[in-house]
Amino acid sequence: MNSIDLLGQRLGTAALTTLVRLCPEIRTASPTQQEAACAAMRAKSKEAIDELLDDAKAAPWLAEVAFTSAVLTLANEGIQVLRGG
């Protein structure tokens, strides 16, 4: 597995974990709502990863902050769908 795949997996796991922590209503959402939230997160993932890589290249000492920002960006996409925003 290459490093971009590992980054994507780590980002996805962190974003889903963050979504569950920040939006506990996902636990009671219908499977359709849950899938819609995940689909929104997937749709935003390329943009979030590109931004993460650009930020990390520009300021490597802020790579963890850039990663956290990407996690929150993806989680927020899911939250907006679940909360009807």
Side-chain angles (χ1 to χ4, degrees):
M1 185 173 292
N2 68 38
S3 58
I4 197 73
D5 288 337
L6 290 174
L7 174 63
Q9 285 185 348
R10 183 175 170 221
L11 181 61
T13 299
L16 284 172
T17 300
T18 301
L19 173 68
V20 170
R21 288 182 178 161
L22 295 179
C23 189
E25 51 262 48
I26 190 153
R27 294 179 183 115
T28 57
S30 72
T32 302
Q33 291 170 311
Q34 291 173 352
E35 178 53 37
C38 289
M41 294 169 70
R42 284 191 301 273
K44 189 75 171 181
S45 64
K46 181 180 180 338
E47 180 184 331
I49 289 172
D50 288 346
E51 187 175 310
L52 165 60
L53 293 174
D54 289 345
D55 291 348
K57 286 178 187 174
W61 57 91
L62 293 175
E64 282 299 316
V65 173
F67 181 83
T68 300
S69 177
V71 166
L72 292 172
T73 296
L74 295 180
N76 187 54
E77 289 296 310
I79 290 168
Q80 285 183 18
V81 168
L82 289 170
R83 293 187 177 162

